[in-house]
Amino acid sequence: MKLVEEFELGLDAPICITWELTYACNLACVHCLSSSGRRDPRELTTAEAKGVIEELERMQVFYVNIGGGEPTVRKDFWELLDHAAAHHVGVKFSTNGSRIDAAAAAVNDAVRGPGSFDTALGALERLHTAGFEKPKISVVVTRQNAGQLDDFKAIADRYGAQLRITRLRPSGRGADVWDELHPTADQQRSLYMWLLEHGEEVLTGDSFFHLSAFGEALPGLNLCGAGRVVCLIDPVGDVYACPFAIHDEFLAGNVREPRGFEGVWRDSELFTELRRPQSGGACESCGHYDACRGGCMAAKFFTGLPLDGPDPECALGHGEGLLAARGEDLAIPAPAVDHSRKRPPSRVCDENPLADFIAKA
């Protein structure tokens, strides 16, 4: 059996987990997949979070991607990282101090907020000066920045960093701007050629496996790992099949249940169903189905397309016709949660990761 085929049937433990520690964030990126902004008062406590880490150690989970929101908002952030290290759980984390969404301030700040470009470069400069090895610059590819990939790579090289580019998905607040921000068909092809050229130099997290229908498969697993090799834990402990599909349709359980995370991963009805052999539906007759596997489940779901149909950004253009044919009365699913800031925070420390340092200055 091929490794990819084995992964499609699911593993006893995920290879990696995306763990959003908090929805609180001091930025308001228009494409935020988790609609972050305000803290949820039901967040896992420090003790509960440590319990999850110990469970991941027992399951031999390789690593967790910690994000949010802005994870450093949590006062116990570094304590939890130390606990993970002590329990042999690898950690990667994303902070808006070192994340860049455009190689020029005008494009970046229009998406992430005024001053965010300079903040990100300043953080990279300080990491570089401190001798921090190979931080990652994470970029969401949009219609506005798709032509700046070489510039992103140059920034990464300048600071001894590694570039990671990911796909814009219509999740969270991204659903509101996807139509205007997702790359055009020509940009998708150019992106595919650029990724082939740069190969293993650039990380993608398998974001673009739907583009493999252009020809040669891109580096990576090239499959949807939702509920099979990856999943998401949100700030209140809910477990979703996919980091980009925060919706009740893809909710498998909660780590606070007696069975814990392990029980959710191994026994949930949703994950069991996802691990069964899947029909390719309308895509199965396509000669490129083995390459793209029908594309991204979340992208289809949040654009109102059938899950067994083509990706909305299908390399062969099959998704475009379906998008155009959607009726005005089609009820497109909305994300399960929205923590966007609609009012000022009651306390600055709820959303500003530097609040404690500013107060002491």
Side-chain angles (χ1 to χ4, degrees):
M1 180 182 291
K2 295 180 181 178
L3 187 60
V4 169
E5 293 174 349
E6 185 172 344
F7 284 173
E8 281 187 307
L9 299 178
L11 303 177
D12 287 341
I15 293 176
C16 70
I17 292 171
T18 296
W19 188 354
E20 296 182 342
L21 285 181
T22 182
Y23 284 125
C25 188
N26 57 317
L27 295 186
C29 301
V30 300
H31 55 29
C32 179
L33 67 91
S34 57
S35 299
S36 292
R38 292 178 288 112
R39 182 189 300 274
D40 191 311
R42 302 170 299 156
E43 281 179 7
L44 296 178
T45 66
T46 301
E48 287 174 325
K50 287 183 175 180
V52 172
I53 290 169
E54 291 162 15
E55 196 172 5
L56 300 184
E57 178 188 26
R58 291 193 296 272
M59 294 177 68
Q60 298 184 334
V61 171
F62 185 47
Y63 71 93
V64 294
N65 283 317
I66 289 181
E70 169 52 43
T72 60
V73 165
R74 283 189 60 134
K75 294 182 182 298
D76 60 0
F77 173 70
W78 298 107
E79 181 181 350
L80 293 178
L81 258 62
D82 287 341
H83 195 71
H87 286 269
H88 312 99
V89 177
V91 172
K92 298 178 182 180
F93 68 90
S94 297
T95 170
N96 57 37
S98 58
R99 299 190 69 185
I100 303 173
D101 275 322
V107 178
N108 176 88
D109 291 1
V111 172
R112 307 190 68 227
S116 56
F117 181 78
D118 290 339
T119 298
L121 287 189
L124 281 170
E125 184 66 49
R126 288 189 291 274
L127 287 171
H128 185 64
T129 301
F132 189 93
E133 294 185 6
K134 229 168 189 179
K136 293 177 177 60
I137 299 174
S138 185
V139 175
V140 178
V141 180
T142 68
R143 192 169 301 178
Q144 283 70 20
N145 68 19
Q148 300 177 329
L149 298 180
D150 286 334
D151 296 332
F152 287 127
K153 185 69 168 55
I155 291 174
D157 292 344
R158 184 192 316 163
Y159 293 105
Q162 187 167 25
L163 178 61
R164 183 179 190 272
I165 63 173
T166 59
R167 181 182 181 184
L168 173 67
R169 289 179 172 86
S171 306
R173 285 196 295 269
D176 298 329
V177 298
W178 186 82
D179 285 339
E180 62 185 89
L181 289 186
H182 78 94
T184 65
D186 287 343
Q187 288 175 327
Q188 297 273 10
R189 180 177 284 277
S190 296
L191 169 62
Y192 168 77
M193 299 304 296
W194 192 89
L195 289 173
L196 281 183
E197 181 181 349
H198 290 82
E200 301 296 337
E201 300 173 27
V202 175
L203 301 176
T204 66
D206 267 336
S207 282
F208 303 102
F209 66 91
H210 66 294
L211 298 182
S212 294
F214 277 130
E216 181 181 345
L218 294 171
L221 291 177
N222 285 298
L223 78 125
C224 172
R228 301 177 179 96
V229 296
V230 299
C231 67
L232 172 137
I233 301 175
D234 82 351
V236 302
D238 282 338
V239 180
Y240 293 90
C242 170
F244 310 108
I246 304 175
H247 188 278
D248 288 347
E249 187 88 6
F250 305 104
L251 176 60
N254 189 287
V255 301
R256 284 171 165 148
E257 297 172 13
R259 57 183 179 164
F261 172 76
E262 182 173 4
V264 176
W265 177 260
R266 295 183 176 171
D267 302 326
S268 79
E269 292 182 12
L270 172 65
F271 287 173
T272 299
E273 178 60 31
L274 287 173
R275 292 163 190 165
R276 293 192 179 107
Q278 302 293 308
S279 166
C283 290
E284 208 158 36
S285 61
C286 176
H288 298 278
Y289 176 71
D290 287 342
C292 80
R293 311 301 293 178
C296 173
M297 174 180 72
K300 288 185 273 192
F301 183 76
F302 286 119
T303 52
L305 300 187
L307 296 184
D308 63 351
D311 189 287
E313 294 180 302
C314 168
L316 303 182
H318 297 313
E320 295 177 11
L322 291 178
L323 289 174
R326 293 177 301 178
E328 294 183 1
D329 58 344
L330 177 66
I332 296 177
V337 295
D338 185 353
H339 290 83
S340 302
R341 286 196 303 274
K342 297 179 175 65
R343 62 180 185 276
S346 58
R347 300 180 304 158
V348 67
C349 61
D350 282 345
E351 295 175 12
N352 188 347
L354 301 180
D356 287 343
F357 296 98
I358 294 172
K360 295 174 183 176

